[in-house]
Amino acid sequence: MPPVAEDRSRRSLPLVAVRQLLDTVEKSLLVADRGGSLILVNARARQCLESYGFKEADEPNLFVDLLKLDSASIFGQVLKGEREIKVQIGRAEKKTSARLQWMPESDWLVVEIDGKAEAHAGADSATRLTVQELLQEREITYRNLLAAYLKLQEVNRQKTVFLASAAHELKTPLAVIKGYYDLLLAGSLGRLTDKQRDILEESKESCERLVRLVSMFLNYSALESGKLVLQLRENDLRDCLDELSKRWTEAFQRKGVRLEANIDPSIPTFRFDYQKVQQVAANLLDNALKHTPSGGTVVLRAAPHFWERRVAAMAPLEERRRFRLPRPNSVEVSVRDSGAGIPAEHHQEIFEDFVRVDRNTSGMGLGLAIAKRLIQAHRGKIWVESDPTAGSRFTFLLPMDQG
């Protein structure tokens, strides 16, 4: 028994040495016996087999698993004198070329896998892994962004609900306070001294400012929640703006600002929301009063207007001027002040929510944002023209064909 064991040890030593030697070779080499069993596989060949999906524990057969050929056909070519045979190695979905040599002394078959194809396979595997990682990263990023967006939406909804609740809670007591101011100033509860009247008028003005702020919050919450419904009825815009200008006359007089109302009597009646349009004009008057110093002038103007919509093909201006313009299809309402103008870079952002160009003035930056949404709900448009040295002019168009 000992001699047999010693003999086996001597036979196994060369295989270990050959395996270590092959691992240092830069080529991918396989060594198999006549039956196709792999005897030696160097390190580069093992990587190549792993890229084809074969694991070390699988022990693939050279003829059955790798070449998909019968051993008889291979040795048939060998017996014809061909010492080197070109073959395809791998699986159906991924194959590469290889060279097969027969060593008659040991009756071994040596397979050298094409190095370029192996590198290409490794590159494909690395590319596929990189793409998969990018897709996974993109999916994770998308989910995180979606979660953040939903969270922001919920925060925005809670903000809107809070504003609406606070506004509703403040609306009733403010209306009561305003009623008491009216009673006191009318003398129903006794005569007032001049100083008492001045104090009550200032207090009433502050109360009215709070009422407008509460109304603004209610409208903003309705716009944010999508619950705004226009009450489109046949109304007279002249009455709407006249009533508004008379209501604001007292506030303008207290500040020493002149309010002029130029309402064209030819404006016909048309369908619009009386309260919403009046609120838009009130927001513009409020802004004009804030930014116009004492001694200045604010002009409220309304006149019929032909709104020439943009079309794909439009005649030149000279040609259009030859013909008589059609009848007005909209009304142009504007509020012009003589206060400090607005720089051109702020002309767009002032219509966004909670934006205030002048931080020294009161307000929440919602007046123009609400005005813009209300005008757009009427299928109109609003814009500003301003010169930092010559005041501002806010204009909105109301189409008269509301349907």
Side-chain angles (χ1 to χ4, degrees):
M1 290 298 293
V4 174
E6 182 181 358
D7 190 32
R8 287 179 179 175
S9 175
R10 288 174 181 173
R11 286 200 303 270
S12 64
L13 284 176
L15 288 178
V16 175
V18 171
R19 182 179 292 111
Q20 293 176 350
L21 181 63
L22 288 179
D23 284 342
T24 62
V25 178
E26 293 297 327
K27 298 180 180 180
S28 299
L29 297 176
L30 304 174
V31 179
D33 59 16
R34 180 178 284 269
S37 298
L38 298 181
I39 300 174
L40 296 171
V41 181
N42 73 347
R44 293 183 63 86
R46 282 195 295 272
Q47 295 177 358
C48 186
L49 292 180
E50 288 177 359
S51 68
Y52 297 149
F54 294 106
K55 297 180 180 179
E56 189 174 354
D58 294 340
E59 297 182 359
N61 185 276
L62 176 65
F63 301 113
V64 178
D65 300 314
L66 299 180
L67 301 182
K68 303 294 183 179
L69 295 173
D70 186 14
S71 61
S73 64
I74 297 295
F75 282 98
Q77 298 181 56
V78 171
L79 293 175
K80 290 180 182 179
E82 298 184 18
R83 298 296 301 271
E84 182 174 316
I85 305 170
K86 291 185 177 180
V87 294
Q88 294 291 321
I89 191 169
R91 288 184 171 178
E93 62 273 11
K94 184 195 289 189
K95 282 192 173 184
T96 185
S97 60
R99 291 184 296 276
L100 189 148
Q101 290 183 337
W102 178 56
M103 302 175 63
E105 296 82 3
S106 57
D107 199 18
W108 286 352
L109 292 170
V110 179
V111 182
E112 179 183 346
I113 301 174
D114 187 6
K116 295 181 179 179
E118 176 194 355
H120 181 68
D124 288 344
S125 177
T127 303
R128 191 164 53 250
L129 181 60
T130 303
V131 171
Q132 184 177 5
E133 290 176 349
L134 289 174
L135 290 175
Q136 291 177 351
E137 184 178 353
R138 186 183 70 174
E139 183 178 359
I140 293 173
T141 303
Y142 170 76
R143 289 180 179 178
N144 291 338
L145 288 175
L146 179 60
Y149 172 75
L150 293 176
K151 186 177 180 180
L152 287 175
Q153 287 289 92
E154 177 61 21
V155 171
N156 186 61
R157 188 192 67 82
Q158 292 177 359
K159 175 202 68 177
T160 304
V161 171
F162 170 76
L163 286 176
S165 301
H168 278 292
E169 292 295 328
L170 291 172
K171 185 177 181 180
T172 301
L174 286 174
V176 173
I177 294 173
K178 185 176 180 297
Y180 283 134
Y181 281 132
D182 291 335
L183 285 174
L184 290 170
L185 291 172
S188 301
L189 302 179
R191 296 185 61 179
L192 300 173
T193 64
D194 293 340
K195 186 173 184 180
Q196 289 173 338
R197 183 172 296 276
D198 292 339
I199 293 175
L200 287 175
E201 286 179 350
E202 291 181 4
S203 301
K204 181 185 176 183
E205 183 181 354
S206 299
C207 182
E208 289 176 345
R209 189 181 300 117
L210 284 175
V211 170
R212 290 195 298 270
L213 187 62
V214 167
S215 177
M216 195 177 298
F217 280 150
L218 288 174
N219 282 283
Y220 177 76
S221 62
L223 290 168
E224 282 289 291
S225 59
K227 297 179 181 179
L228 175 69
V229 179
L230 294 180
Q231 304 296 329
L232 296 177
R233 295 186 178 90
E234 198 78 14
N235 292 310
D236 191 335
L237 186 64
R238 294 170 299 177
D239 294 340
C240 176
L241 297 180
D242 281 335
E243 178 186 336
L244 180 67
S245 62
K246 292 176 182 178
R247 190 187 306 166
W248 277 82
T249 299
E250 185 180 352
F252 275 81
Q253 288 176 350
R254 285 198 298 267
K255 190 176 179 181
V257 177
R258 182 182 178 185
L259 175 61
E260 296 181 5
N262 298 328
I263 313 299
D264 194 319
S266 65
I267 298 176
T269 59
F270 63 99
R271 290 172 59 83
F272 65 93
D273 190 316
Y274 192 96
Q275 298 295 332
K276 297 298 187 294
V277 171
Q278 199 171 74
Q279 181 184 354
V280 172
N283 288 349
L284 298 183
L285 287 176
D286 187 26
N287 277 347
L289 181 60
K290 288 179 183 176
H291 297 91
T292 303
S294 179
T297 303
V298 173
V299 180
L300 171 63
R301 180 183 176 276
H305 178 79
F306 174 68
W307 188 356
E308 189 174 18
R309 308 272 184 161
R310 291 184 180 179
V311 294
M314 183 177 290
L317 181 61
E318 294 78 7
E319 183 178 345
R320 295 201 305 271
R321 284 176 177 172
R322 294 182 192 149
F323 302 94
R324 186 178 179 182
L325 290 176
R327 65 180 181 85
N329 58 2
S330 64
V331 176
E332 182 184 81
V333 181
S334 64
V335 175
R336 180 174 55 83
D337 63 65
S338 58
I342 303 172
E345 61 268 21
H346 299 303
H347 286 185
Q348 293 297 325
E349 65 179 17
I350 57 176
F351 291 99
E352 301 300 326
D353 298 343
F354 303 104
V355 173
R356 288 189 302 160
V357 177
D358 187 358
R359 297 290 180 178
N360 296 322
T361 59
S362 61
M364 298 294 294
L366 286 175
L368 292 177
I370 293 175
K372 178 182 178 181
R373 297 191 189 186
L374 293 178
I375 293 300
Q376 288 177 342
H378 281 83
R379 296 189 294 114
K381 69 175 183 178
I382 185 171
W383 70 95
V384 61
E385 300 166 293
S386 182
D387 186 340
T389 61
S392 303
R393 181 174 183 263
F394 286 86
T395 307
F396 64 86
L397 292 179
L398 284 176
M400 291 190 289
D401 53 344
Q402 294 293 341

